[in-house]
Amino acid sequence: MAEPTGKVLKIIQYGHPTLRVRCDPVTEFTPELKELAEAMFQTMEANEGVGLAASQVDQRIRLLVVNVPKKDSEEVTRVAAVNPEVLEVEGEWEYEEGCLSIPDIRDNVVRPERIKLRYQDLDGEAHELEATGLLSRVFLHEIDHLNGVLFVDYLSPVRRMIHSGKLKRMAKETAEQLGQEA
Ligand code: ZN
């Protein structure tokens, strides 16, 4: 399933069908799962991202990684979350988002300000975590990916219209690439 450790994986782009799939729960916590998570961390970091979902590297399973700086600190929250579930949400705030699978577009999205999550680690151990601010936003963005939802889906018709040329171009390029690979 996973590429060998040490390899930066290809991030699929807007228009790729896997970005619209509801990913399957992980039921087996294998060495391959750990290898995939490690490769996803490397891929995210090589692309200076703060989060990455397995579907973005064309793996249809409920696994995501985040690497988010802590507020007013040098530390980062670096987590691989398997089968993540949102238990509670609170508040809302608007902030600009981007996506490694939609590189040409950034726009504001309203999301809950605080969330409580349940997820399993790479050994299958269950954890609960409370996240606020950017960390909460990144988790929600990546969990959306596992459900086939993209941040551009939240944009108003007017904002989507503004980006429609870029979205169409990306979808066309992706379709052409897939055609060449087939
Ligand atoms: Zn994304």
Side-chain angles (χ1 to χ4, degrees):
M1 177 172 63
E3 299 286 341
T5 303
K7 192 169 174 207
V8 172
L9 304 172
K10 181 171 180 263
I11 297 177
I12 61 172
Q13 302 292 297
Y14 183 83
H16 192 295
T18 298
L19 291 176
R20 290 307 191 179
V21 161
R22 186 177 166 85
C23 296
D24 296 323
V26 172
T27 52
E28 288 180 59
F29 295 82
T30 59
E32 288 76 20
L33 182 71
K34 287 191 173 120
E35 274 175 36
L36 174 60
E38 189 45 48
M40 282 171 59
F41 274 119
Q42 291 186 25
T43 303
M44 170 176 61
E45 281 150 17
N47 288 281
E48 294 176 9
V50 287
L52 189 69
S55 51
Q56 291 180 277
V57 293
D58 204 11
Q59 300 288 328
R60 301 177 175 205
I61 60 167
R62 304 187 80 76
L63 164 67
L64 62 85
V65 296
V66 304
N67 189 37
V68 176
K70 288 185 184 164
K71 217 179 170 184
D72 306 319
S73 159
E74 306 271 288
E75 288 170 56
V76 294
T77 302
R78 192 175 190 272
V79 176
V82 179
N83 302 327
E85 256 181 280
V86 179
L87 303 176
E88 287 172 24
V89 302
E90 197 183 285
E92 57 177 40
W93 69 305
E94 190 173 351
Y95 193 73
E96 193 183 66
E97 289 189 25
C99 179
L100 293 175
S101 294
I102 317 176
D104 294 346
I105 294 177
R106 299 189 68 83
D107 211 329
N108 284 1
V109 176
V110 177
R111 293 199 190 262
E113 204 282 325
R114 192 191 71 84
I115 57 170
K116 192 168 167 188
L117 275 183
R118 182 192 293 147
Y119 67 92
Q120 285 166 285
D121 64 24
L122 296 168
D123 295 310
E125 205 75 40
H127 298 268
E128 283 190 9
L129 181 144
E130 283 195 25
T132 58
L134 186 62
L135 183 62
S136 150
R137 179 169 294 271
V138 173
F139 269 117
L140 291 168
H141 177 118
E142 302 312 329
I143 291 170
D144 273 352
H145 272 301
L146 302 181
N147 295 324
V149 174
L150 302 173
F151 85 93
V152 291
D153 299 346
Y154 295 107
L155 302 180
S156 68
V158 171
R159 298 301 304 168
R160 278 185 74 89
M161 187 89 86
I162 287 167
H163 298 305
S164 68
K166 282 182 180 173
L167 289 169
K168 277 190 194 133
R169 196 181 62 231
M170 273 187 273
K172 187 165 170 266
E173 282 170 10
T174 299
E176 281 167 6
Q177 275 180 21
L178 288 172
Q180 282 162 13
E181 283 165 20

